[in-house]
Each structure stands twice: as C-alpha cells, then as structure tokens.
C-alpha cells in the first residue's frame, strides 16, 4: 500500500468512471481535501447515468483526518458504484461539509452493496445547509437526494464499530438513512 496525503481538491484517491473491478487496499490515506470525498471517492454524485464503477473493493485501508467539501470526509461510494464492498477499513477523524463524515453511499447503486467490519470513529459532519440537503450521517450516510424518487439500491451495513461520530447540524451521528 501507499501513504497518500496533501491533496487540495481531488481527495486522496478519486476514481471517476469506468473503474469496474478496482481494488483499493492496504493504504494510509491522510490529510487530504476533496470536493466529492476527502479520502477515497468512487464516481461522482448526480451524474444521471451509470458510471460503470461495478464490483469495486475498498479494503483494509486507514482513512483518517481527511476533509470533504461536497461529499464524504472519508470514503464515498457515489451513484453507479454497483456491487461494491467496503470492508476492514479504519475510518477515523474525517470531516465533511456535506453528508457522511466517515462513509457515504450517495445516490442509486443497484446490486448487493456491503459496508462491513469497518471501524468508523470520531468523524464529523460540521456544517449543514438545508437547501443543499446536507449535514447528515456523522459516521455513515446512505441516501439519495429526494425521498420517493429512485432510492439507493441495496446496502448492507454489518459488523461495524461505529463510535464517537458527530453531526453538528443534521441527523444521524452514527448512521443516517435518507430516501433509501
């Protein structure tokens, strides 16, 4: 694995589209800032088409002290990330101005999506903008933009340690599910 730090706009790792079967593992991702994710971002939210980011595995990374501007502070699995696995990561001390201080599943991603055996601790969503539907899910956020429209697809959240997360202006310090 690598140590990735110091990004000012793209986050530590940002895989936009066409990254099916990508595995990101055993990295130390720290002190990055990104628009769609501070640590690891797969896809972009609200694109309106399938970005072909199927079967992505994010496993055994340490994702800490990153900041998300319009996305998760730690790990963001955005629209079109079908059948992903986020497993065995330490996601701690990340900050977000949007939704999902630690881990976020944004928008519709059909298939069996799994978030399991992660340590999601001391992450924070510190800003809430009601008009932007932001400020939810200090630890884990699963949601879409508008209730009753497309939803998110299946997401299984199991066997995670979720502790000490904070949402300063919204709902769900540990887990927030919205428009699923």
């Amino acid at each position: 694995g690598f140590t990735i730090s110091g990004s000012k706009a793209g986050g530590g790792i940002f895989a936009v589209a066409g990254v099916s079967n990508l595995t990101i593992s055993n990295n130390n991702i720290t002190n990055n800032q990104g628009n769609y994710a501070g640590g690891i971002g797969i896809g972009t939210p609200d694109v309106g088409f399938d970005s072909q980011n199927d079967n992505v595995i994010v496993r055994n990374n340490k994702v800490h002290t990153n900041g998300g501007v319009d996305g998760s502070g730690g790990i963001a699995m955005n629209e079109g990330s079908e059948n992903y696995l986020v497993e065995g990561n330490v996601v701690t001390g990340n900050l977000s101005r949007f939704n999902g201080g630690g881990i976020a599943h944004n928008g519709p991603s059909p298939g069996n999506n799994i978030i399991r055996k992660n340590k999601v601790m001391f992450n924070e969503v510190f800003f809430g903008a009601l008009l932007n539907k932001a400020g939810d899910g200090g630890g884990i956020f699963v949601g879409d933009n508008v209730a009753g429209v497309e939803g998110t697809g299946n997401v299984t959240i199991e066997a995670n340690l979720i502790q000490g997360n904070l949402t300063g202006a919204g709902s769900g310090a540990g887990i927030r599910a919205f428009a699923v």
Side-chain angles (χ1 to χ4, degrees), residues 19-134:
V19 297
S20 293
N21 302 307
L22 173 69
T23 298
I24 299 170
S25 66
N26 301 308
N27 298 293
N28 179 22
I29 302 167
T30 183
N31 294 319
N32 297 288
Q33 177 180 310
N35 290 329
Y36 299 124
I40 300 171
I42 307 299
T44 56
D46 301 324
V47 292
F49 60 87
D50 186 357
S51 47
Q52 302 295 315
N53 296 327
D54 304 341
N55 306 308
V56 172
I57 298 171
V58 178
R59 176 183 283 150
N60 299 329
N61 298 286
K62 184 175 182 186
V63 182
H64 58 108
T65 59
N66 299 288
V69 178
D70 291 323
S72 174
I75 300 171
M77 305 303 290
N78 292 304
E79 179 179 345
S81 301
E82 301 174 14
N83 294 311
Y84 69 75
L85 173 63
V86 176
E87 177 180 59
N89 300 286
V90 175
V91 182
T92 184
N94 299 289
L95 301 172
S96 174
R97 283 182 21 142
F98 199 64
N99 291 319
I103 299 173
H105 168 113
N106 297 306
S109 289
N112 292 321
N113 304 298
I114 300 171
I115 301 170
R116 77 170 165 224
K117 297 183 181 176
N118 300 286
K119 294 180 180 177
V120 184
M121 304 176 299
F122 308 111
N123 301 287
E124 181 179 352
V125 176
F126 62 89
F127 177 78
L130 183 60
L131 296 176
N132 292 332
K133 300 174 191 77

